[in-house]
Every structure is written in C-alpha cells, then in structure tokens.
Amino acid sequence: MSAVLLVLLGGVPALANPITGNPFFKQLVGKWQGEGEMVQSENGSAVPIKETWTGEFTDSGNFVMSGKRLLDQNEHDFAWEYFANGDLIEGQMKMSDPELDVRFEAQLSGASRTITMKIPLSGGGGTLTIINTVSEDGRSIEGSVEIVDTSGRTTSTGKVKHQKQ
C-alpha cells in the first residue's frame, strides 16, 4: 500500500512557476527607458517623469525591475520584484525617496498583454494603481498610473511610455 501511495504521489506534477514560464515577463528582460508625466487632479499641473530600469529573472525564479526615476527634480531608486505564491503572482515595491517597501498582488492578462498592480498606500485606504500594457512586439510599454487618497479621491493620474533599449 505505501509503495502504491509513493508511486501515486510521485506522479503529481509540481506547480509551474507562473513567472519564469510567463511570456509577459520574458518580454520585459533587458534595459528600458521611460518618459511621461503625472497630472495633479486639484490644479492640473503636470510633473515630468523619466525612468531608466533593467528587467531580469533572479536565480530563485523571481522577476525584478530596478532602476532610477526622476520625478520632477527628485531622483530616487526603485525596484519592483515579482514572485510566485502558488499560482498567484505577488510583488514588492521598494523606493528610496519617499522610502517605501510595500507588498501587493498583481494580475496578468495574456490576452490583453497587461499587468495590473494595486498597491496599498499609507495604511488608511489610499492606493496606487498601475496598468502596464506591453506592445505586441515587446519593444514598448504603455503605463497608466492613478493615485487615490484615503478618502477615495483621485489625487493624480499619469501616463508613462517605456522603450526597450
């Protein structure tokens, strides 16, 4: 009986890593540059954004996007790490200024070539929502950003276009 159980259990396939085998993440490998702006809802003022980042798989099967962002005149380092939690994809966003280290869940859609991230901010209900859409050829990414404060009011929105180098 125990031999039968060993054979049966041994034949159960391990869950595949939803990151390393995912064509979406494979398209993000390499060096990228992004440019766009954030618009403040209150007064319509625009703040320019410039980014340079690199996307790569880690030895443990995670995917990391890390680089520098110039938001108006303030530069900071950032990193987004995506990792598998069973068949779910979770992420961790880190920034140097303002200092942030936040975990979130990401939803991928192969059909629309998008990744949607809803990141909790300030512990009181504020959110940062980012939707990135990769072009069919994998050479560009259109990103939309929305920041909502703790009262549910949209405080800023933005667009960033990334080009693979």
Side-chain angles (χ1 to χ4, degrees):
M1 180 70 160
S2 61
V4 170
L5 283 176
L6 284 175
V7 169
L8 289 174
L9 292 175
V12 174
L15 289 176
N17 183 325
I19 295 172
T20 56
N22 192 300
F24 182 89
F25 287 111
K26 289 179 183 179
Q27 287 185 317
L28 299 181
V29 171
K31 294 187 181 299
W32 294 80
Q33 288 187 344
E35 197 167 328
E37 66 181 15
M38 291 293 292
V39 177
Q40 307 304 310
S41 299
E42 190 171 291
N43 61 16
S45 66
V47 177
I49 301 170
K50 290 188 178 186
E51 298 178 340
T52 57
W53 56 273
T54 301
E56 60 189 352
F57 289 99
T58 66
D59 292 339
S60 61
N62 295 349
F63 189 81
V64 176
M65 300 165 58
S66 61
K68 293 196 177 289
R69 179 180 298 118
L70 184 63
L71 185 61
D72 199 12
Q73 299 300 311
N74 301 316
E75 185 176 74
H76 62 262
D77 296 320
F78 70 93
W80 299 77
E81 184 165 3
Y82 299 92
F83 50 91
N85 181 1
D87 60 352
L88 296 176
I89 295 175
E90 293 185 4
Q92 187 159 3
M93 175 182 77
K94 294 181 181 182
M95 287 183 4
S96 64
D97 186 22
E99 190 172 329
L100 290 173
D101 188 350
V102 183
R103 289 182 75 141
F104 60 92
E105 189 173 308
Q107 286 82 38
L108 287 174
S109 170
S112 61
R113 298 177 317 283
T114 61
I115 184 168
T116 301
M117 300 157 282
K118 194 166 195 170
I119 299 107
L121 298 176
S122 69
T127 57
L128 165 65
T129 302
I130 300 172
I131 301 171
N132 285 326
T133 304
V134 178
S135 64
E136 284 189 47
D137 66 1
R139 304 286 308 157
S140 66
I141 302 168
E142 293 279 341
S144 68
V145 180
E146 179 183 60
I147 299 175
V148 175
D149 69 14
T150 57
S151 69
R153 184 178 63 89
T154 299
T155 60
S156 57
T157 59
K159 299 277 184 194
V160 179
K161 176 146 183 159
H162 303 267
Q163 295 291 327
K164 196 171 212 176
Q165 302 303 295

